[in-house]
PDB file of all heavy atoms in Angstrom:
ATOM      1  N   MET B1365      25.812 -21.934  -2.416  1.00  0.00           N
ATOM      2  CA  MET B1365      25.494 -21.727  -1.004  1.00  0.00           C
ATOM      3  C   MET B1365      26.115 -22.843  -0.181  1.00  0.00           C
ATOM      4  O   MET B1365      25.924 -24.013  -0.465  1.00  0.00           O
ATOM      5  CB  MET B1365      23.963 -21.722  -0.845  1.00  0.00           C
ATOM      6  CG  MET B1365      23.526 -21.450   0.571  1.00  0.00           C
ATOM      7  SD  MET B1365      21.743 -21.616   0.731  1.00  0.00           S
ATOM      8  CE  MET B1365      21.178 -20.160  -0.105  1.00  0.00           C
ATOM      9  N   ASP B1378      21.081 -10.223  -5.936  1.00  0.00           N
ATOM     10  CA  ASP B1378      21.272  -9.243  -7.009  1.00  0.00           C
ATOM     11  C   ASP B1378      20.794  -9.835  -8.330  1.00  0.00           C
ATOM     12  O   ASP B1378      20.696 -11.033  -8.463  1.00  0.00           O
ATOM     13  CB  ASP B1378      22.780  -8.967  -7.125  1.00  0.00           C
ATOM     14  CG  ASP B1378      23.067  -7.484  -7.007  1.00  0.00           C
ATOM     15  OD1 ASP B1378      22.098  -6.710  -6.997  1.00  0.00           O
ATOM     16  OD2 ASP B1378      24.252  -7.131  -6.922  1.00  0.00           O
ATOM     17  N   THR B1412      -2.811  17.591  -3.227  1.00  0.00           N
ATOM     18  CA  THR B1412      -4.200  17.118  -3.159  1.00  0.00           C
ATOM     19  C   THR B1412      -4.356  16.057  -2.077  1.00  0.00           C
ATOM     20  O   THR B1412      -5.246  16.139  -1.231  1.00  0.00           O
ATOM     21  CB  THR B1412      -4.613  16.504  -4.524  1.00  0.00           C
ATOM     22  OG1 THR B1412      -4.358  17.463  -5.538  1.00  0.00           O
ATOM     23  CG2 THR B1412      -6.064  16.095  -4.533  1.00  0.00           C
ATOM     24  N   GLN B1451       1.289 -20.773  11.720  1.00  0.00           N
ATOM     25  CA  GLN B1451      -0.136 -20.773  12.034  1.00  0.00           C
ATOM     26  C   GLN B1451      -0.957 -20.386  10.796  1.00  0.00           C
ATOM     27  O   GLN B1451      -1.990 -20.995  10.492  1.00  0.00           O
ATOM     28  CB  GLN B1451      -0.408 -19.801  13.190  1.00  0.00           C
ATOM     29  CG  GLN B1451      -1.814 -19.930  13.772  1.00  0.00           C
ATOM     30  CD  GLN B1451      -2.140 -18.822  14.759  1.00  0.00           C
ATOM     31  OE1 GLN B1451      -1.322 -17.942  15.035  1.00  0.00           O
ATOM     32  NE2 GLN B1451      -3.347 -18.854  15.304  1.00  0.00           N
ATOM     33  N   ARG B1481       1.772 -22.344 -15.489  1.00  0.00           N
ATOM     34  CA  ARG B1481       1.942 -23.353 -16.553  1.00  0.00           C
ATOM     35  C   ARG B1481       1.062 -24.572 -16.298  1.00  0.00           C
ATOM     36  O   ARG B1481       0.450 -25.114 -17.215  1.00  0.00           O
ATOM     37  CB  ARG B1481       3.410 -23.774 -16.645  1.00  0.00           C
ATOM     38  CG  ARG B1481       4.156 -23.151 -17.788  1.00  0.00           C
ATOM     39  CD  ARG B1481       5.430 -23.933 -18.134  1.00  0.00           C
ATOM     40  NE  ARG B1481       6.122 -24.442 -16.960  1.00  0.00           N
ATOM     41  CZ  ARG B1481       7.057 -23.760 -16.299  1.00  0.00           C
ATOM     42  NH1 ARG B1481       7.421 -22.570 -16.714  1.00  0.00           N
ATOM     43  NH2 ARG B1481       7.638 -24.275 -15.245  1.00  0.00           N
ATOM     44  N   THR B1496       5.160  -8.277  -6.134  1.00  0.00           N
ATOM     45  CA  THR B1496       5.467  -8.908  -7.424  1.00  0.00           C
ATOM     46  C   THR B1496       6.314  -7.988  -8.306  1.00  0.00           C
ATOM     47  O   THR B1496       7.045  -8.465  -9.164  1.00  0.00           O
ATOM     48  CB  THR B1496       4.188  -9.320  -8.178  1.00  0.00           C
ATOM     49  OG1 THR B1496       3.415  -8.154  -8.474  1.00  0.00           O
ATOM     50  CG2 THR B1496       3.366 -10.301  -7.378  1.00  0.00           C
ATOM     51  N   GLN B1497       6.222  -6.665  -8.064  1.00  0.00           N
ATOM     52  CA  GLN B1497       7.138  -5.761  -8.779  1.00  0.00           C
ATOM     53  C   GLN B1497       8.553  -5.921  -8.232  1.00  0.00           C
ATOM     54  O   GLN B1497       9.530  -5.907  -8.970  1.00  0.00           O
ATOM     55  CB  GLN B1497       6.701  -4.308  -8.603  1.00  0.00           C
ATOM     56  CG  GLN B1497       5.425  -3.971  -9.327  1.00  0.00           C
ATOM     57  CD  GLN B1497       4.788  -2.717  -8.766  1.00  0.00           C
ATOM     58  OE1 GLN B1497       5.349  -2.051  -7.893  1.00  0.00           O
ATOM     59  NE2 GLN B1497       3.620  -2.393  -9.262  1.00  0.00           N
ATOM     60  N   PRO B1563     -10.797  12.781 -16.699  1.00  0.00           N
ATOM     61  CA  PRO B1563     -10.499  11.563 -15.947  1.00  0.00           C
ATOM     62  C   PRO B1563     -11.602  10.514 -16.033  1.00  0.00           C
ATOM     63  O   PRO B1563     -11.329   9.310 -16.064  1.00  0.00           O
ATOM     64  CB  PRO B1563     -10.333  12.066 -14.512  1.00  0.00           C
ATOM     65  CG  PRO B1563      -9.848  13.467 -14.657  1.00  0.00           C
ATOM     66  CD  PRO B1563     -10.530  13.997 -15.892  1.00  0.00           C
ATOM     67  N   ALA B1593      -3.332 -14.718  10.865  1.00  0.00           N
ATOM     68  CA  ALA B1593      -2.816 -16.064  11.123  1.00  0.00           C
ATOM     69  C   ALA B1593      -3.892 -16.971  11.715  1.00  0.00           C
ATOM     70  O   ALA B1593      -3.955 -18.157  11.403  1.00  0.00           O
ATOM     71  CB  ALA B1593      -1.612 -15.991  12.070  1.00  0.00           C
ATOM     72  N   ILE B1598      -7.101 -13.563   4.135  1.00  0.00           N
ATOM     73  CA  ILE B1598      -6.264 -12.623   3.388  1.00  0.00           C
ATOM     74  C   ILE B1598      -7.124 -11.421   3.016  1.00  0.00           C
ATOM     75  O   ILE B1598      -8.310 -11.579   2.695  1.00  0.00           O
ATOM     76  CB  ILE B1598      -5.732 -13.262   2.090  1.00  0.00           C
ATOM     77  CG1 ILE B1598      -5.296 -14.711   2.314  1.00  0.00           C
ATOM     78  CG2 ILE B1598      -4.644 -12.418   1.455  1.00  0.00           C
ATOM     79  CD1 ILE B1598      -3.971 -14.921   2.881  1.00  0.00           C
ATOM     80  N   VAL B1623       6.555 -12.059   3.821  1.00  0.00           N
ATOM     81  CA  VAL B1623       6.243 -12.726   5.086  1.00  0.00           C
ATOM     82  C   VAL B1623       5.788 -11.748   6.166  1.00  0.00           C
ATOM     83  O   VAL B1623       5.079 -12.129   7.104  1.00  0.00           O
ATOM     84  CB  VAL B1623       7.448 -13.532   5.620  1.00  0.00           C
ATOM     85  CG1 VAL B1623       7.681 -14.767   4.762  1.00  0.00           C
ATOM     86  CG2 VAL B1623       8.703 -12.675   5.692  1.00  0.00           C
ATOM     87  N   SER B1631      -9.175 -10.057  14.346  1.00  0.00           N
ATOM     88  CA  SER B1631      -9.695  -8.872  15.033  1.00  0.00           C
ATOM     89  C   SER B1631      -8.721  -7.692  14.932  1.00  0.00           C
ATOM     90  O   SER B1631      -9.128  -6.545  15.112  1.00  0.00           O
ATOM     91  CB  SER B1631     -10.008  -9.185  16.494  1.00  0.00           C
ATOM     92  OG  SER B1631      -8.843  -9.637  17.156  1.00  0.00           O
ATOM     93  N   MET B1633      -7.670  -6.558  12.333  1.00  0.00           N
ATOM     94  CA  MET B1633      -8.088  -5.793  11.150  1.00  0.00           C
ATOM     95  C   MET B1633      -8.917  -4.571  11.536  1.00  0.00           C
ATOM     96  O   MET B1633      -9.028  -3.621  10.766  1.00  0.00           O
ATOM     97  CB  MET B1633      -8.883  -6.697  10.199  1.00  0.00           C
ATOM     98  CG  MET B1633      -8.079  -7.822   9.570  1.00  0.00           C
ATOM     99  SD  MET B1633      -6.645  -7.211   8.682  1.00  0.00           S
ATOM    100  CE  MET B1633      -7.482  -6.284   7.406  1.00  0.00           C
ATOM    101  N   MET B1649     -13.052   5.205   3.960  1.00  0.00           N
ATOM    102  CA  MET B1649     -12.849   3.807   3.591  1.00  0.00           C
ATOM    103  C   MET B1649     -12.695   3.774   2.091  1.00  0.00           C
ATOM    104  O   MET B1649     -13.336   4.542   1.375  1.00  0.00           O
ATOM    105  CB  MET B1649     -14.049   2.961   4.045  1.00  0.00           C
ATOM    106  CG  MET B1649     -13.816   1.464   3.972  1.00  0.00           C
ATOM    107  SD  MET B1649     -12.591   0.858   5.159  1.00  0.00           S
ATOM    108  CE  MET B1649     -13.660   0.404   6.527  1.00  0.00           C
ATOM    109  N   THR B1667      -9.121 -22.924  -6.847  1.00  0.00           N
ATOM    110  CA  THR B1667      -7.738 -23.265  -6.517  1.00  0.00           C
ATOM    111  C   THR B1667      -7.064 -22.006  -6.015  1.00  0.00           C
ATOM    112  O   THR B1667      -7.110 -20.969  -6.683  1.00  0.00           O
ATOM    113  CB  THR B1667      -6.979 -23.781  -7.760  1.00  0.00           C
ATOM    114  OG1 THR B1667      -7.727 -24.858  -8.323  1.00  0.00           O
ATOM    115  CG2 THR B1667      -5.590 -24.267  -7.397  1.00  0.00           C
ATOM    116  N   ILE B1721      10.167   5.594   3.479  1.00  0.00           N
ATOM    117  CA  ILE B1721      10.200   4.195   3.930  1.00  0.00           C
ATOM    118  C   ILE B1721      11.077   3.369   2.991  1.00  0.00           C
ATOM    119  O   ILE B1721      11.817   2.485   3.434  1.00  0.00           O
ATOM    120  CB  ILE B1721       8.778   3.600   4.061  1.00  0.00           C
ATOM    121  CG1 ILE B1721       8.815   2.210   4.680  1.00  0.00           C
ATOM    122  CG2 ILE B1721       8.057   3.546   2.707  1.00  0.00           C
ATOM    123  CD1 ILE B1721       9.315   2.153   6.106  1.00  0.00           C
ATOM    124  N   SER B1726      14.776  -0.474   1.393  1.00  0.00           N
ATOM    125  CA  SER B1726      15.545  -1.053   0.283  1.00  0.00           C
ATOM    126  C   SER B1726      16.971  -1.431   0.694  1.00  0.00           C
ATOM    127  O   SER B1726      17.409  -2.552   0.412  1.00  0.00           O
ATOM    128  CB  SER B1726      15.569  -0.092  -0.914  1.00  0.00           C
ATOM    129  OG  SER B1726      14.266   0.262  -1.291  1.00  0.00           O
ATOM    130  N   GLY B1731      20.983  -5.216   1.531  1.00  0.00           N
ATOM    131  CA  GLY B1731      22.301  -5.001   2.106  1.00  0.00           C
ATOM    132  C   GLY B1731      23.018  -3.935   1.286  1.00  0.00           C
ATOM    133  O   GLY B1731      22.595  -3.605   0.174  1.00  0.00           O
ATOM    134  N   GLN B1783      34.425  13.153   3.800  1.00  0.00           N
ATOM    135  CA  GLN B1783      33.860  13.407   5.127  1.00  0.00           C
ATOM    136  C   GLN B1783      34.705  12.725   6.206  1.00  0.00           C
ATOM    137  O   GLN B1783      34.981  13.307   7.255  1.00  0.00           O
ATOM    138  CB  GLN B1783      32.426  12.899   5.171  1.00  0.00           C
ATOM    139  CG  GLN B1783      31.717  13.275   6.460  1.00  0.00           C
ATOM    140  CD  GLN B1783      30.268  12.796   6.474  1.00  0.00           C
ATOM    141  OE1 GLN B1783      29.711  12.416   5.472  1.00  0.00           O
ATOM    142  NE2 GLN B1783      29.661  12.825   7.644  1.00  0.00           N
ATOM    143  N   LEU B1785      37.862  12.060   6.044  1.00  0.00           N
ATOM    144  CA  LEU B1785      39.113  12.802   6.181  1.00  0.00           C
ATOM    145  C   LEU B1785      38.900  14.083   6.980  1.00  0.00           C
ATOM    146  O   LEU B1785      39.689  14.430   7.863  1.00  0.00           O
ATOM    147  CB  LEU B1785      39.687  13.131   4.795  1.00  0.00           C
ATOM    148  CG  LEU B1785      40.173  11.922   4.002  1.00  0.00           C
ATOM    149  CD1 LEU B1785      40.587  12.338   2.594  1.00  0.00           C
ATOM    150  CD2 LEU B1785      41.337  11.237   4.720  1.00  0.00           C
ATOM    151  N   GLY B1808      40.403  30.798   8.651  1.00  0.00           N
ATOM    152  CA  GLY B1808      40.281  31.915   7.715  1.00  0.00           C
ATOM    153  C   GLY B1808      39.267  31.710   6.610  1.00  0.00           C
ATOM    154  O   GLY B1808      39.458  32.141   5.480  1.00  0.00           O
ATOM    155  N   ALA B1837      29.461  31.732   7.072  1.00  0.00           N
ATOM    156  CA  ALA B1837      30.847  32.178   7.228  1.00  0.00           C
ATOM    157  C   ALA B1837      31.202  32.223   8.708  1.00  0.00           C
ATOM    158  O   ALA B1837      30.351  32.572   9.531  1.00  0.00           O
ATOM    159  CB  ALA B1837      31.007  33.573   6.632  1.00  0.00           C
ATOM    160  N   SER B1852      39.801  40.508  29.559  1.00  0.00           N
ATOM    161  CA  SER B1852      41.116  40.606  30.160  1.00  0.00           C
ATOM    162  C   SER B1852      41.522  42.063  30.386  1.00  0.00           C
ATOM    163  O   SER B1852      40.859  42.972  29.940  1.00  0.00           O
ATOM    164  CB  SER B1852      42.149  39.911  29.288  1.00  0.00           C
ATOM    165  OG  SER B1852      42.143  40.493  28.008  1.00  0.00           O
TER     166      SER B1852
END
Side-chain angles (χ1 to χ4, degrees):
Chain B
M1365 183 186 287
D1378 235 352
T1412 306
Q1451 191 189 0
R1481 258 199 322 271
T1496 62
Q1497 290 161 5
I1598 319 278
V1623 289
S1631 59
M1633 294 304 296
M1649 192 68 93
T1667 306
I1721 187 64
S1726 305
Q1783 187 178 346
L1785 292 174
S1852 58

